[in-house]
Amino acid sequence: MNLQKLFAQTQENYELIPFFIEQLLASDVYCLATQDPDQKIQFRVLETEEGEQAIPFFLALETIQHDFGDETEYLTLNTRKLFEMTLGTTLVMNPTSTLSKEFQSEEVKAILNSQIID
C-alpha cells in the first residue's frame, strides 16, 4: 500500500493510525542527510513552526526533488532505524507538504516500545 495515501486516510479514519505506524516502521523513507566515508550520518535539521529543531524525513523521493531540487543530498533509511538513530530528537514527516506530521521524542519512544520486535 502507498504510505502517502495511507497517511492521508488516517486523517479521516483514526482507526488506521496503528496500521500506518506499523507500515511506516517497516518501510524506507528519505532523509535530507549525507554519509561520510566512516559511515557517520549527518542529518539536515529544519526549524519547526514552534522554533524547535527537527530532522525532516519524507515518504516520497519526488517530494525532496520537487521541494529542494534534484541535486539535494539524501539517504534512504528504514524508518525504525531512523527512529532508533535519532531517539531523543523531534522528527517531521513531509515538512513541506500540506499534510505533515511531527514526531516528538516521547512519541517516538512510545512507538518503538509498543512494536513487537521479531
Side-chain angles (χ1 to χ4, degrees), residues 29-49:
V29 291
Y30 303 92
C31 306
L32 299 177
T34 55
Q35 192 166 19
D36 68 20
D38 297 327
Q39 304 300 307
K40 186 170 168 63
I41 294 174
Q42 182 69 44
F43 291 101
R44 204 156 136 195
V45 177
L46 299 179
E47 196 169 294
T48 67
E49 290 178 8

Side-chain angles (χ1 to χ4, degrees), residues 17-37:
I17 292 173
F19 179 66
F20 169 73
I21 295 295
E22 182 182 308
Q23 294 302 304
L24 179 64
L25 286 177
S27 299
D28 288 343
V29 291
Y30 303 92
C31 306
L32 299 177
T34 55
Q35 192 166 19
D36 68 20

Side-chain angles (χ1 to χ4, degrees), residues 101-116:
K101 163 86 175 105
E102 200 169 296
F103 290 90
Q104 298 292 331
S105 61
E106 290 304 313
E107 184 179 6
V108 171
K109 270 186 217 162
I111 288 169
L112 289 173
N113 289 337
S114 70
Q115 294 297 310
I116 299 166

Side-chain angles (χ1 to χ4, degrees), residues 78-95:
N78 170 268
T79 308
R80 177 184 295 283
K81 183 174 181 178
L82 171 67
F83 280 11
E84 289 169 349
M85 290 171 64
T86 59
L87 206 53
T89 60
T90 300
L91 298 159
V92 182
M93 181 176 69
N94 294 343

